[in-house]
Amino acid sequence: QFLRSNCARDIRRQGVSMSFKTSQLRWLLVALGSSVLAVTAVPIVLSFAAIRVGANSGTVGLLLASSDGPFVVSLLVGGVLADRFGRRHVALLADAIGFLGVGAMIVLLGFEPRHLLWLALAAAVWGCGSGLYSPTITGLLSDVVPAELLQRANGLRGTVESLAVAIGPSVVGVVVGVFDPVAGAVVCGVSTILGVYALSRLNEIGPASRERSSTLIREMRDGWNELVARDWCWKIILAYSFLHLVTFGPLFVLGPIVARAHLGGSTGWGLIIGAEGLGAAGGALIAMKVNWRYPLRASVGASLVASLTFFALGLGASLVVVLVASVVTGVAFGMMGVIWETYLQLAFPSEVLSRISAYDLLGSVGLFPVGQILAGVVAGVVGAASVLVFSGCSMLVVSSLLLASRSIWNARSLSAPKSVRPARA
């Protein structure tokens, strides 16, 4: 409805009907929601499949890293391919690869649940598909929605993603608890198929032809030059790379272990992730309705309260307290995501957005698999609680340092995409 009421003139200028544009956005959001649901649910399947056969925290970390490592490696390739050959086509290929991976998980968990090495290989295939898929979305959304409505569209995107995060882990956590990891993997497979169908209904809208460099390496370098020319961008990406090492990596390894000990096992952990997703949906709705004068200040500032879940888990709080903390953390992350994505889409030329998104994801989650591996090892020495408290403290310190940067604190809102590379901030 916001497309119909606010975008008529912009859509007519592009020579595309409003009903067509609205339909394209709907299918894109369905595809995105299906993908996010599967992505957030697969780690629960892997974690409790390993725990069920007696694996320790180190083995759980290695199994999760077997999907996250290939995800990181394939990000840049996905970004370049999306800008070069079309974002919809690359997204379809990525979902097909992801379905092969989750299909292999179903077979392996059904017949040989103790063969974790083969399960790790299937998870690696799944990770490759997710890595190719992720850089396509930011560019696809900017193709479908006029620049004036990107913030609101990103709010819808954030809401859909957050609801998927809330529904996926909660449903799959219950399914795994009531039945087994095989049933959870089937849910992920069905969600992936739905994503493929939605993408097949999407016609890519964008420039008639994108400028292409002679080689993939050259196109990667062009995207890198765009990124490093913006001081605020590389600082935030670098900071969140460190945070994924010391916070998010440990959370997804140690969280299920803490949940199994005193928070209700897979069901409790699924509810915790789901509560964060519901909070993020609310945060996205808040972010889409506010005109942020200093968007980066608001985005980074929200991360100060995102540490609550780590402290609640590390300090042994009850399930109710952890759920409340997760909702607050989700609100912060939901706001951050909408503000950050909108700022990127307005600050960079459209033809490089998938590459910028790939660098953003690579920088943010590049150390995530390392964090997962180290979390299990360090927790074996100092305990899971100490690691999680340290994670919360790290988020507070890093967020404060980012706010002390003048290029982030003074960054004002942008009204239109830049067509040329700006001077270094």
Side-chain angles (χ1 to χ4, degrees), residues 260-280:
R260 189 189 185 199
H262 67 274
L263 295 175
S266 63
T267 301
W269 182 241
L271 291 174
I272 292 169
I273 299 298
E276 184 175 316
L278 288 175

Side-chain angles (χ1 to χ4, degrees), residues 375-400:
V377 176
V378 175
V381 178
V382 302
S386 297
V387 174
L388 290 169
V389 170
F390 175 79
S391 297
C393 293
S394 298
M395 180 163 285
L396 292 177
V397 171
V398 171
S399 299
S400 300

Side-chain angles (χ1 to χ4, degrees), residues 333-425:
F333 283 141
M335 293 175 60
M336 291 166 61
V338 172
I339 297 170
W340 174 249
E341 288 295 328
T342 303
Y343 203 81
L344 285 183
Q345 289 162 340
L346 295 176
F348 288 93
S350 176
E351 60 268 19
V352 299
L353 266 180
S354 290
R355 278 167 284 175
I356 296 302
S357 181
Y359 278 118
D360 175 30
L361 289 166
L362 177 63
S364 296
V365 306
L367 295 179
F368 186 78
V370 180
Q372 289 179 308
I373 295 172
L374 291 179
V377 176
V378 175
V381 178
V382 302
S386 297
V387 174
L388 290 169
V389 170
F390 175 79
S391 297
C393 293
S394 298
M395 180 163 285
L396 292 177
V397 171
V398 171
S399 299
S400 300
L401 290 175
L402 285 175
L403 288 174
S405 170
R406 295 181 64 180
S407 62
I408 293 171
W409 184 262
N410 296 327
R412 291 179 176 268
S413 61
L414 302 174
S415 57
K418 304 294 184 182
S419 59
V420 296
R421 183 183 308 148
R424 183 181 298 274

Side-chain angles (χ1 to χ4, degrees), residues 80-402:
V80 173
L81 293 179
D83 281 337
R84 172 178 276 225
F85 298 111
R87 291 151 185 163
R88 172 181 171 273
H89 296 99
V90 174
L92 278 168
L93 173 64
D95 263 351
I97 295 173
F99 181 73
L100 289 177
V102 77
M105 291 181 205
I106 295 171
V107 174
L108 290 168
L109 290 173
F111 293 97
E112 296 291 347
R114 292 185 176 274
H115 288 186
L116 296 184
L117 177 60
W118 290 106
L119 186 61
L121 292 175
V125 174
W126 164 262
C128 285
S130 298
L132 292 174
Y133 182 93
S134 296
T136 66
I137 298 301
T138 298
L140 272 173
L141 191 63
S142 69
D143 289 342
V144 171
V145 179
E148 293 80 359
L149 292 177
L150 277 174
Q151 180 170 314
R152 284 190 247 181
N154 279 309
L156 290 177
R157 170 188 175 179
T159 302
V160 169
E161 288 180 331
S162 301
L163 291 175
V165 170
I167 295 171
S170 300
V171 170
V172 171
V174 172
V175 169
V176 171
V178 174
F179 298 100
D180 54 27
V182 180
V186 170
V187 174
C188 296
V190 171
S191 182
T192 303
I193 292 174
L194 177 60
V196 171
Y197 175 74
L199 284 172
S200 70
R201 300 296 302 271
L202 183 68
N203 295 317
E204 188 168 359
I205 303 174
S209 61
R210 294 188 172 93
E211 183 180 350
R212 300 178 183 178
S213 300
S214 57
T215 65
L216 294 180
I217 299 298
R218 173 65 182 274
E219 293 194 8
M220 287 183 187
R221 187 165 65 246
D222 290 344
W224 174 257
N225 290 336
E226 291 283 351
L227 186 150
V228 298
R230 295 158 173 84
D231 179 73
W232 53 268
C233 190
W234 66 257
K235 284 182 178 178
I236 291 177
I237 291 175
L238 182 63
Y240 277 89
S241 179
F242 173 75
L243 285 180
H244 275 80
L245 173 68
V246 300
T247 61
F248 305 118
L251 176 65
F252 287 97
V253 173
L254 304 179
I257 294 173
V258 172
R260 189 189 185 199
H262 67 274
L263 295 175
S266 63
T267 301
W269 182 241
L271 291 174
I272 292 169
I273 299 298
E276 184 175 316
L278 288 175
L285 290 174
I286 293 172
M288 70 183 282
K289 294 180 179 295
V290 177
N291 184 17
W292 303 98
R293 186 176 180 183
Y294 295 96
L296 296 185
R297 187 188 303 181
S299 178
V300 175
S303 66
L304 290 172
V305 299
S307 59
L308 288 179
T309 297
F310 299 95
F311 289 118
L313 287 170
L315 296 176
S318 66
L319 179 60
V320 173
V321 173
V322 174
L323 289 174
V324 172
S326 295
V327 170
V328 176
T329 296
V331 170
F333 283 141
M335 293 175 60
M336 291 166 61
V338 172
I339 297 170
W340 174 249
E341 288 295 328
T342 303
Y343 203 81
L344 285 183
Q345 289 162 340
L346 295 176
F348 288 93
S350 176
E351 60 268 19
V352 299
L353 266 180
S354 290
R355 278 167 284 175
I356 296 302
S357 181
Y359 278 118
D360 175 30
L361 289 166
L362 177 63
S364 296
V365 306
L367 295 179
F368 186 78
V370 180
Q372 289 179 308
I373 295 172
L374 291 179
V377 176
V378 175
V381 178
V382 302
S386 297
V387 174
L388 290 169
V389 170
F390 175 79
S391 297
C393 293
S394 298
M395 180 163 285
L396 292 177
V397 171
V398 171
S399 299
S400 300
L401 290 175
L402 285 175

